Amino acid sequence: MKLVSYSNQDLATLGIVVNQKIYNLSASAVILNTDSVASDMLGFLQAGNAAFETAKKIEAEILKGNTLLQPVQINEHNLLAPVPNPTSCRDGYAFRQHVEAARRNRKVSMIPEFDQYPIFYFTNHNAIQGPGEIICMPDHFQKLDFELEVAVVIGKKGRNIKAADADQYIAGYMIMNDMSARTLQMEEMLLNLGPAKGKDFSTVIGPWLVTPDELEAFKVPAKEGHVGNNYNLKMSCRVNGIEVSKGNMKDMDWTFAEIIERCAYGVNILPGDVIGSGTVGTGCFLELNGTGLLHDPSYKVQWLQPNDKVEMEIDGLGILRNTIIKDPSDFSILALKKMEEQA
């Protein structure tokens, strides 16, 4: 199934996507006189397997052509993040190619700990966005970057989960764009803490949540020595129609199952938690610029600019479209720092 959230009279409403059309899931349940379904994504996830079974019945009725069920009329302006209010948002570091290239470009050796355990950081779950405009402050445009990733949504509560069992906790997959303000990020990480302000202004997910059964045909083995599901899904990013990045989810070194195992050690993971994969190789301007300059000192670096259109596409997961907008404010925390230095 493909599940989507959309704005309906200022409420985040849950829909199911069938044949590129969106149907109100809870309203469809009422029409069919089936078990009730929550009207929002978080409530749906918290209801567990029963909600998914009801949604499958509704999907089957739509595919059979039940004329009682009619699609809702919305456009991209109504689409929200599939999980508009996640219970938390973590981001991993799963692709060795990206980590290795980024370190090589900084002229430092590959860190051996990468191959020993998967890591993650918490980002701002209150700054989750979906398709549409991304409004950025002046300081964000100091080396504004995209990051091409996959994300999962947790579908049931768990604690101390072993990697061998972790895939059953995944409700679905989405595209993730882990937006990054690199000047802010590099400044704060000089203090060995973060990332924080360089990341917390926007994390984009969407366009919909794809349940694991839809990806069965793409399944491939995890890399040698690793445990969990992996998928052969081509990934790409276009800026203003020009492809700038491409990779594949099958190149994940650490699987989501292994990342979940670490996330859930000694703590509860909950329905509605979002976990990102980390950036695919070539999946951001920071890496691309560094590689370009390494081979050609005159390489023209690129960062996101106001009014840029960013499109991320992943096989089976759709296309996530956003436009970068500059906030009219001139407020700058980078400038505040400089003023204190001059005082």
Side-chain angles (χ1 to χ4, degrees), residues 27-324:
S28 297
V30 172
I31 292 169
L32 293 176
N33 195 29
T34 65
D35 293 336
S36 62
V37 177
S39 61
D40 66 287
M41 179 67 84
L42 190 55
F44 178 85
L45 293 170
Q46 291 170 340
N49 289 336
F52 279 90
E53 290 304 315
T54 300
K56 287 178 185 177
K57 292 176 184 176
I58 293 169
E59 181 183 43
E61 286 295 317
I62 296 168
L63 289 170
K64 285 195 302 186
N66 189 322
T67 56
L68 293 175
L69 304 175
Q70 295 296 318
V72 293
Q73 301 302 314
I74 67 170
N75 55 44
E76 283 195 353
H77 297 292
N78 298 99
L79 285 181
L80 306 172
V83 189
N85 303 106
T87 42
S88 71
C89 187
R90 300 169 173 89
D91 200 12
Y93 210 37
F95 290 93
R96 194 181 205 278
Q97 179 187 347
H98 169 67
V99 179
E100 198 166 42
R103 294 184 68 83
R104 178 202 64 208
N105 294 343
R106 301 200 307 272
K107 297 182 172 56
V108 295
S109 59
M110 180 60 183
I111 187 166
E113 285 79 8
F114 174 85
D115 297 307
Q116 296 173 12
Y117 49 87
I119 64 166
F120 65 90
Y121 74 95
F122 279 96
T123 192
N124 186 359
H125 65 291
N126 291 316
I128 291 291
Q129 294 182 251
E133 295 183 347
I134 303 172
I135 300 175
C136 299
M137 292 292 287
D139 288 349
H140 297 145
F141 283 99
Q142 300 299 313
K143 301 182 179 179
L144 180 64
D145 208 351
F146 69 92
E147 296 199 46
L148 174 59
E149 308 188 16
V150 183
V152 297
V153 178
I154 298 301
K156 63 179 181 177
K157 182 178 178 179
R159 185 184 182 95
N160 294 328
I161 301 162
K162 299 294 180 63
D165 303 317
D167 282 310
Q168 64 181 289
Y169 289 81
I170 296 174
Y173 296 80
M174 310 172 294
I175 302 171
M176 175 184 275
N177 180 0
D178 176 33
M179 295 289 295
S180 300
R182 298 300 189 184
T183 295
L184 282 169
Q185 179 188 355
M186 298 308 172
E187 175 186 82
E188 63 196 4
M189 293 186 75
L190 290 173
L191 296 169
N192 295 321
L193 190 65
K197 293 310 300 176
K199 295 277 192 177
D200 76 347
F201 59 100
S202 176
T203 301
V204 192
I205 54 176
W208 40 58
L209 176 71
V210 179
T211 54
D213 57 291
E214 292 238 341
L215 302 179
E216 279 295 314
F218 298 97
K219 192 178 287 186
V220 294
K223 289 196 175 183
E224 185 177 355
H226 291 271
V227 176
N229 291 342
N230 198 10
Y231 300 93
N232 178 17
L233 303 179
K234 289 184 290 187
M235 307 169 64
S236 66
C237 180
R238 296 179 292 274
V239 177
N240 300 325
I242 299 171
E243 184 176 87
V244 295
S245 173
K246 62 180 179 180
N248 197 304
M249 184 179 171
K250 70 179 181 181
D251 294 326
M252 288 180 72
D253 292 85
W254 293 105
T255 65
F256 276 114
E258 292 168 325
I259 296 170
I260 290 169
E261 179 182 64
R262 191 170 180 89
C263 291
Y265 182 74
V267 297
N268 294 329
I269 58 169
L270 301 171
D273 285 356
V274 171
I275 304 173
S277 64
T279 310
V280 68
T282 78
C284 64
F285 280 138
L286 179 69
E287 180 188 335
L288 295 167
N289 290 338
T291 300
L293 289 170
L294 190 68
H295 296 100
D296 178 7
S298 63
Y299 178 84
K300 186 177 180 181
V301 302
Q302 183 176 357
W303 302 103
L304 293 175
Q305 304 298 323
N307 303 315
D308 276 354
K309 298 187 182 303
V310 181
E311 290 181 309
M312 293 187 169
E313 183 170 5
I314 300 180
D315 285 350
L317 303 185
I319 302 176
L320 178 59
R321 297 183 175 93
N322 295 99
T323 301
I324 307 299

